[in-house]
Amino acid sequence: MFLGIDLGTSSVKFLVLNKEGSIVKTLNKDYPVNYFNNNWAEQNPNHWWEKVLEGLNEISNCKDISKRLEGISFSGQMHGLVLLDKNDEIIRPAILWCDQRSEKECEELKK
């Protein structure tokens, strides 16, 4: 069996497939996106990790799956900005790919 994990904008999705490509199990763990000023989009990166661990824990409790896993694939959401301090600690919410606060700067660069 194979496990796919997709860290998306609004949730992390888990998909377990057997060798024939049939779906054995799916999971979805939601987390919030915070929208500010109508065009800002931010998220707490800690939520991503917490929900990944939640899903992995749930899958590991399925003995018929966890003992037979042969591979894991992971994908993440589009570009985003996670700012870290010198100790690799998160210092603010992540700015997501759909954030529009730099629209004026982008227009200026296009000109």
Coordinates of all heavy atoms in Angstrom, one line a residue, residues 31-83:
Y31 N -8.0 23.0 8.5 CA -7.4 24.1 9.3 C -7.8 25.4 8.7 O -8.1 25.5 7.5 CB -5.9 24.0 9.5 CG -5.1 23.5 8.2 CD1 -4.9 24.3 7.2 CD2 -4.6 22.2 8.2 CE1 -4.3 23.9 6.0 CE2 -3.9 21.8 7.1 CZ -3.8 22.6 6.0 OH -3.1 22.2 4.9
P32 N -7.9 26.5 9.6 CA -8.4 27.8 9.1 C -7.4 28.5 8.2 O -6.2 28.4 8.4 CB -8.7 28.5 10.4 CG -7.8 27.9 11.4 CD -7.6 26.5 11.0
V33 N -7.9 29.3 7.3 CA -7.2 30.4 6.6 C -7.8 31.7 7.1 O -9.0 31.9 7.2 CB -7.5 30.3 5.1 CG1 -6.7 31.4 4.4 CG2 -7.0 29.0 4.5
N34 N -6.9 32.6 7.5 CA -7.3 33.9 8.0 C -7.2 34.9 6.9 O -6.1 35.1 6.4 CB -6.4 34.3 9.2 CG -6.5 33.2 10.3 OD1 -7.6 32.8 10.7 ND2 -5.4 32.8 10.8
Y35 N -8.3 35.6 6.6 CA -8.3 36.6 5.6 C -8.5 38.0 6.3 O -9.4 38.1 7.2 CB -9.5 36.4 4.7 CG -9.4 35.2 3.8 CD1 -10.1 34.0 4.2 CD2 -8.6 35.1 2.7 CE1 -9.9 32.8 3.4 CE2 -8.4 34.0 2.0 CZ -9.1 32.8 2.3 OH -9.0 31.7 1.6
F36 N -7.6 38.9 6.0 CA -7.6 40.2 6.6 C -7.7 41.3 5.5 O -7.2 41.0 4.4 CB -6.4 40.5 7.5 CG -6.1 39.4 8.6 CD1 -5.3 38.4 8.4 CD2 -6.8 39.5 9.8 CE1 -5.1 37.5 9.3 CE2 -6.6 38.6 10.7 CZ -5.7 37.6 10.5
N37 N -8.3 42.4 5.8 CA -8.3 43.5 4.8 C -8.8 43.1 3.5 O -8.3 43.6 2.5 CB -6.9 44.2 4.7 CG -6.5 44.7 6.0 OD1 -7.3 45.1 6.9 ND2 -5.2 44.7 6.3
N38 N -9.6 42.1 3.4 CA -10.2 41.6 2.1 C -9.2 40.9 1.2 O -9.6 40.2 0.3 CB -11.0 42.7 1.4 CG -12.2 43.2 2.1 OD1 -12.8 42.4 2.8 ND2 -12.5 44.4 2.0
N39 N -7.9 41.2 1.3 CA -7.0 40.6 0.3 C -5.8 40.0 0.9 O -4.9 39.6 0.2 CB -6.6 41.7 -0.7 CG -5.9 42.9 -0.1 OD1 -5.8 43.0 1.1 ND2 -5.3 43.7 -1.0
W40 N -5.7 39.9 2.2 CA -4.6 39.2 2.8 C -5.0 37.8 3.2 O -6.2 37.6 3.5 CB -4.2 39.9 4.1 CG -3.6 41.3 4.0 CD1 -3.7 42.1 2.9 CD2 -2.9 42.0 5.0 NE1 -3.1 43.3 3.2 CE2 -2.6 43.3 4.5 CE3 -2.5 41.7 6.3 CZ2 -1.9 44.2 5.2 CZ3 -1.8 42.6 7.0 CH2 -1.5 43.9 6.5
A41 N -4.1 36.9 3.1 CA -4.4 35.5 3.4 C -3.2 34.9 4.2 O -2.1 34.8 3.7 CB -4.7 34.6 2.1
E42 N -3.5 34.5 5.4 CA -2.4 34.0 6.3 C -2.9 32.7 7.0 O -4.1 32.5 7.1 CB -2.0 35.1 7.3 CG -1.5 36.3 6.8 CD -1.0 37.3 7.8 OE1 -1.3 37.1 9.0 OE2 -0.4 38.3 7.4
Q43 N -1.9 32.0 7.5 CA -2.2 30.7 8.2 C -1.1 30.4 9.2 O 0.1 30.8 9.0 CB -2.2 29.6 7.1 CG -3.1 28.5 7.4 CD -3.4 27.7 6.1 OE1 -2.5 27.5 5.3 NE2 -4.6 27.3 5.9
N44 N -1.5 29.8 10.2 CA -0.5 29.3 11.2 C 0.1 28.0 10.8 O -0.5 27.0 10.7 CB -1.2 29.1 12.6 CG -0.3 28.7 13.7 OD1 0.8 28.3 13.5 ND2 -0.8 28.8 14.9
P45 N 1.4 28.0 10.4 CA 2.1 26.8 10.0 C 2.1 25.7 11.0 O 2.1 24.5 10.6 CB 3.6 27.3 9.7 CG 3.5 28.7 9.5 CD 2.3 29.2 10.4
N46 N 1.9 26.0 12.3 CA 1.8 24.9 13.3 C 0.6 24.1 13.0 O 0.6 22.9 13.3 CB 1.8 25.5 14.7 CG 3.2 26.1 15.1 OD1 4.2 25.4 14.8 ND2 3.2 27.3 15.6
H47 N -0.5 24.7 12.5 CA -1.7 23.9 12.2 C -1.4 22.8 11.2 O -2.0 21.7 11.2 CB -2.8 24.8 11.7 CG -3.3 25.7 12.8 ND1 -4.1 26.8 12.5 CD2 -3.2 25.7 14.1 CE1 -4.4 27.5 13.6 NE2 -3.9 26.8 14.6
W48 N -0.5 23.1 10.2 CA -0.2 22.1 9.2 C 0.4 20.9 9.8 O 0.0 19.8 9.6 CB 0.8 22.7 8.2 CG 0.4 24.0 7.5 CD1 -0.9 24.4 7.3 CD2 1.3 24.9 6.9 NE1 -0.8 25.6 6.6 CE2 0.5 26.0 6.4 CE3 2.7 25.0 6.8 CZ2 1.1 27.1 5.7 CZ3 3.2 26.1 6.2 CH2 2.4 27.1 5.6
W49 N 1.4 21.1 10.7 CA 2.1 20.0 11.3 C 1.1 19.2 12.2 O 1.1 18.0 12.2 CB 3.3 20.5 12.0 CG 4.1 19.4 12.6 CD1 4.4 19.3 14.0 CD2 4.8 18.3 12.0 NE1 5.2 18.2 14.1 CE2 5.5 17.6 12.9 CE3 4.8 17.9 10.6 CZ2 6.2 16.4 12.6 CZ3 5.6 16.8 10.3 CH2 6.2 16.1 11.3
E50 N 0.3 19.9 13.0 CA -0.6 19.3 14.0 C -1.6 18.4 13.2 O -1.8 17.2 13.6 CB -1.4 20.3 14.7 CG -0.6 21.1 15.7 CD -1.2 22.4 16.2 OE1 -2.4 22.6 15.9 OE2 -0.6 23.1 17.0
K51 N -2.1 18.8 12.1 CA -3.1 18.1 11.3 C -2.4 16.9 10.6 O -3.0 15.8 10.4 CB -3.8 19.0 10.4 CG -4.7 20.0 11.1 CD -5.7 19.3 12.0 CE -6.6 20.3 12.7 NZ -7.6 19.7 13.5
V52 N -1.2 17.1 10.1 CA -0.4 16.0 9.5 C -0.2 14.9 10.6 O -0.5 13.7 10.3 CB 0.9 16.4 8.9 CG1 1.8 15.2 8.6 CG2 0.7 17.3 7.7
L53 N 0.2 15.2 11.8 CA 0.4 14.2 12.8 C -0.9 13.6 13.2 O -1.0 12.3 13.4 CB 1.0 14.9 14.1 CG 2.4 15.4 13.9 CD1 2.9 16.0 15.2 CD2 3.4 14.2 13.5
E54 N -2.0 14.3 13.2 CA -3.3 13.7 13.5 C -3.7 12.7 12.5 O -4.1 11.6 12.8 CB -4.4 14.8 13.5 CG -5.1 15.1 14.7 CD -6.1 16.2 14.5 OE1 -7.1 16.1 13.8 OE2 -5.9 17.3 15.2
G55 N -3.5 13.0 11.2 CA -3.8 12.0 10.2 C -2.9 10.8 10.2 O -3.4 9.7 10.0
L56 N -1.6 11.0 10.4 CA -0.7 9.9 10.5 C -1.1 9.0 11.6 O -1.0 7.8 11.5 CB 0.7 10.4 10.6 CG 1.3 11.0 9.3 CD1 2.7 11.6 9.6 CD2 1.4 10.0 8.2
N57 N -1.4 9.6 12.8 CA -1.8 8.8 13.9 C -3.1 8.0 13.6 O -3.1 6.8 14.0 CB -2.1 9.7 15.1 CG -2.3 9.0 16.4 OD1 -1.6 8.0 16.7 ND2 -3.4 9.3 17.1
E58 N -4.0 8.6 12.9 CA -5.2 7.8 12.6 C -4.9 6.7 11.6 O -5.4 5.6 11.8 CB -6.2 8.8 12.0 CG -7.6 8.2 11.8 CD -8.7 9.2 11.4 OE1 -8.5 10.4 11.8 OE2 -9.6 8.9 10.7
I59 N -4.1 6.9 10.7 CA -3.7 5.8 9.7 C -2.8 4.8 10.4 O -3.0 3.6 10.2 CB -2.9 6.4 8.5 CG1 -3.9 7.2 7.7 CG2 -2.2 5.4 7.7 CD1 -3.4 8.1 6.6
S60 N -2.0 5.2 11.3 CA -1.1 4.2 12.0 C -2.0 3.3 12.9 O -1.6 2.2 13.3 CB 0.0 4.8 12.8 OG -0.6 5.5 14.0
N61 N -3.2 3.8 13.3 CA -4.1 2.9 14.1 C -4.8 1.9 13.3 O -5.5 1.0 13.9 CB -5.0 3.8 14.9 CG -4.3 4.5 16.1 OD1 -3.4 4.0 16.6 ND2 -4.8 5.7 16.4
C62 N -4.7 2.0 12.0 CA -5.4 1.0 11.1 C -4.3 0.0 10.8 O -3.5 0.1 9.8 CB -5.8 1.7 9.8 SG -7.0 3.0 10.0
K63 N -4.2 -1.0 11.6 CA -3.1 -2.0 11.5 C -3.1 -2.7 10.1 O -2.0 -3.0 9.6 CB -3.2 -3.1 12.6 CG -3.1 -2.5 14.0 CD -1.9 -1.7 14.2 CE -1.8 -1.1 15.6 NZ -0.8 -0.1 15.7
D64 N -4.2 -2.9 9.5 CA -4.3 -3.5 8.2 C -3.6 -2.6 7.1 O -3.2 -3.1 6.1 CB -5.7 -3.9 7.7 CG -6.6 -2.7 7.7 OD1 -6.5 -1.8 8.7 OD2 -7.4 -2.5 6.8
I65 N -3.5 -1.3 7.4 CA -2.8 -0.4 6.5 C -1.4 -0.2 6.9 O -0.4 -0.3 6.1 CB -3.6 0.9 6.4 CG1 -4.9 0.7 5.8 CG2 -2.8 2.0 5.6 CD1 -5.8 2.0 5.8
S66 N -1.2 0.3 8.2 CA 0.2 0.7 8.6 C 1.2 -0.3 8.5 O 2.4 0.0 8.2 CB 0.1 1.3 10.0 OG -0.3 0.3 10.9
K67 N 0.9 -1.6 8.7 CA 1.9 -2.7 8.6 C 2.2 -3.0 7.1 O 3.2 -3.7 6.9 CB 1.4 -3.9 9.3 CG 1.4 -3.7 10.8 CD 1.0 -5.0 11.5 CE 1.0 -4.7 13.0 NZ 0.7 -6.0 13.8
R68 N 1.4 -2.5 6.2 CA 1.6 -2.9 4.8 C 2.0 -1.7 3.9 O 2.2 -1.8 2.7 CB 0.3 -3.5 4.3 CG -0.1 -4.8 5.0 CD -1.4 -5.3 4.7 NE -1.7 -5.4 3.3 CZ -2.9 -5.5 2.7 NH1 -4.0 -5.4 3.5 NH2 -3.1 -5.6 1.4
L69 N 2.3 -0.5 4.5 CA 2.7 0.6 3.7 C 4.1 0.4 3.2 O 5.0 0.0 3.9 CB 2.8 1.9 4.6 CG 1.4 2.6 4.8 CD1 1.6 3.8 5.7 CD2 0.8 3.0 3.5
E70 N 4.3 0.6 1.9 CA 5.5 0.5 1.2 C 6.2 1.8 0.7 O 7.3 1.8 0.4 CB 5.4 -0.4 0.0 CG 4.9 -1.8 0.3 CD 4.8 -2.7 -0.9 OE1 5.7 -2.7 -1.7 OE2 3.7 -3.3 -1.1
G71 N 5.4 2.8 0.7 CA 5.9 4.1 0.3 C 5.0 5.3 0.7 O 3.8 5.1 0.9
I72 N 5.6 6.4 0.8 CA 4.8 7.7 1.2 C 5.3 8.8 0.2 O 6.4 8.9 -0.1 CB 5.1 8.1 2.6 CG1 4.7 7.0 3.6 CG2 4.4 9.4 3.0 CD1 5.1 7.3 5.1
S73 N 4.3 9.5 -0.3 CA 4.5 10.7 -1.1 C 3.9 11.9 -0.5 O 2.9 11.8 0.2 CB 3.9 10.4 -2.5 OG 4.1 11.6 -3.3
F74 N 4.6 13.0 -0.6 CA 4.1 14.2 0.1 C 4.2 15.4 -0.9 O 5.1 15.5 -1.7 CB 5.0 14.6 1.3 CG 4.5 15.6 2.2 CD1 3.7 15.2 3.3 CD2 4.7 16.9 2.0 CE1 3.2 16.1 4.2 CE2 4.2 17.9 2.9 CZ 3.4 17.5 4.0
S75 N 3.1 16.2 -0.9 CA 3.1 17.4 -1.7 C 2.6 18.6 -0.9 O 1.8 18.3 0.1 CB 2.2 17.2 -3.0 OG 0.9 17.1 -2.6
G76 N 3.0 19.8 -1.2 CA 2.6 20.9 -0.5 C 1.9 22.0 -1.3 O 2.0 21.9 -2.6
Q77 N 1.2 22.9 -0.7 CA 0.5 24.0 -1.3 C 1.5 24.8 -2.1 O 2.7 24.7 -2.0 CB -0.3 24.8 -0.3 CG 0.6 25.4 0.7 CD -0.2 26.2 1.7 OE1 -0.6 27.3 1.4 NE2 -0.4 25.7 2.9
M78 N 0.9 25.7 -3.0 CA 1.8 26.5 -3.8 C 2.6 27.4 -2.9 O 2.6 27.3 -1.7 CB 0.8 27.4 -4.7 CG 0.0 26.6 -5.7 SD -1.1 27.6 -6.6 CE -0.1 28.7 -7.5
H79 N 3.4 28.3 -3.5 CA 4.3 29.1 -2.8 C 3.7 29.9 -1.7 O 2.6 30.3 -1.8 CB 5.0 30.1 -3.8 CG 4.0 30.8 -4.8 ND1 3.6 30.2 -5.9 CD2 3.4 31.9 -4.7 CE1 2.7 31.0 -6.5 NE2 2.6 32.0 -5.8
G80 N 4.4 30.0 -0.6 CA 4.0 30.7 0.5 C 5.2 31.2 1.3 O 6.3 30.8 1.0
L81 N 5.0 32.1 2.2 CA 6.2 32.6 3.0 C 6.0 32.3 4.4 O 5.1 32.7 5.1 CB 6.2 34.2 2.8 CG 7.3 34.9 3.6 CD1 8.7 34.5 3.1 CD2 7.1 36.4 3.5
V82 N 7.0 31.5 5.0 CA 7.0 31.2 6.4 C 8.3 31.8 6.9 O 9.4 31.4 6.5 CB 7.1 29.6 6.6 CG1 7.2 29.3 8.1 CG2 5.8 29.0 6.0
L83 N 8.2 32.8 7.8 CA 9.3 33.5 8.3 C 9.8 32.8 9.6 O 9.0 32.6 10.5 CB 9.0 35.0 8.6 CG 8.6 35.8 7.3 CD1 8.1 37.1 7.7 CD2 9.8 35.9 6.4

